[in-house]
Amino acid sequence: GERALFMYARPRNYVAGILAGENSVKELHALADYRAGRLAARGVELPNAQNDADRAAIAWACEMATLEAVAEEMADRSIEWADFDFMLADMATQLGRVAGFFGFENNPDPLSSIASGPLMRRYSKDPSYEYSPRLREDLINQEVGLQGREIDGALAMLREAAEKSPL
């Protein structure tokens, strides 16, 4: 009967966000075979990556398949799915929704303070670097402008695989 929050990013934003980070791209290459194996173990088949956008889409599929598998294993729990992009668009309201889900008081004043506080300007993996929702959006838009064709191709690959996937 416990509760869990599963947060995810939309595939387009995930792929573009990964492509915007030099270290994230290195990680894509380092984990490519591992992720392919994890997907295969779950019966998800994707074509071989042709570029980094494809690799990022495969990474997204792998992690989403993992969340889906874990959700199935946690059938006795209440799971709330949260779209990260949706949360960033109105963090105070979404924090209230999540707080309510976990049974905490939904008091708008402290939630607004949290949503407008310094953590939301440094929520990246390394908090010594500023990384705000606005900067994230700018980087995503930059990569869509630079690599839009590859990103669109990677998303098409995901849509085609989704038609055949057991998940």
Side-chain angles (χ1 to χ4, degrees), residues 12-13 15 32 36 38 42 47 50 64 70 81 109 120 124-125 146 149 154-155 158:
R12 175 189 168 274
N13 291 352
V15 170
R38 287 172 53 204
R42 291 186 174 89
Q50 301 300 308
M64 288 302 296
V70 171
W81 290 83
D109 292 332
M120 287 306 300
S124 70
K125 291 178 184 176
L146 293 171
R149 176 184 254 155
L155 298 179
L158 288 176

Side-chain angles (χ1 to χ4, degrees), residues 118-166:
L119 287 177
M120 287 306 300
R121 290 187 298 275
R122 300 190 178 276
Y123 69 86
S124 70
K125 291 178 184 176
D126 184 349
S128 64
Y129 293 100
E130 184 161 338
Y131 193 78
S132 66
R134 179 68 190 162
L135 176 58
R136 178 178 181 268
E137 183 178 336
D138 289 346
L139 291 171
I140 287 170
N141 290 333
Q142 169 190 298
E143 290 308 312
V144 168
L146 293 171
Q147 301 187 64
R149 176 184 254 155
E150 292 86 357
I151 293 169
D152 289 345
L155 298 179
M157 176 185 67
L158 288 176
R159 281 190 296 277
E160 186 177 319
E163 293 174 5
K164 305 172 199 164
S165 172

Side-chain angles (χ1 to χ4, degrees), residues 57-152:
I58 291 168
W60 180 87
C62 180
E63 302 313 330
M64 288 302 296
T66 299
L67 283 177
E68 290 285 351
V70 171
E72 288 177 11
E73 292 174 15
M74 297 171 72
D76 63 331
R77 299 179 193 188
S78 182
I79 297 172
E80 180 72 15
W81 290 83
D83 179 325
F84 185 63
D85 300 297
F86 190 72
M87 288 196 68
L88 285 178
D90 186 4
M91 186 58 75
T93 299
Q94 295 307 311
L95 284 175
R97 182 180 64 80
V98 170
F101 171 74
F102 282 108
F104 295 108
E105 183 179 342
N106 182 351
N107 186 332
D109 292 332
L111 295 175
S112 291
S113 294
I114 291 168
S116 63
L119 287 177
M120 287 306 300
R121 290 187 298 275
R122 300 190 178 276
Y123 69 86
S124 70
K125 291 178 184 176
D126 184 349
S128 64
Y129 293 100
E130 184 161 338
Y131 193 78
S132 66
R134 179 68 190 162
L135 176 58
R136 178 178 181 268
E137 183 178 336
D138 289 346
L139 291 171
I140 287 170
N141 290 333
Q142 169 190 298
E143 290 308 312
V144 168
L146 293 171
Q147 301 187 64
R149 176 184 254 155
E150 292 86 357
I151 293 169
D152 289 345

Side-chain angles (χ1 to χ4, degrees), residues 16-59:
I18 293 295
L19 296 176
E22 180 182 336
N23 289 333
S24 296
V25 172
K26 288 178 185 175
E27 181 183 62
L28 279 179
H29 289 268
L31 296 177
D33 291 339
Y34 173 67
R35 285 180 168 141
R38 287 172 53 204
L39 280 171
R42 291 186 174 89
V44 178
E45 294 182 28
L46 289 167
N48 291 329
Q50 301 300 308
N51 53 49
D52 287 337
D54 287 355
R55 285 180 195 85
I58 291 168

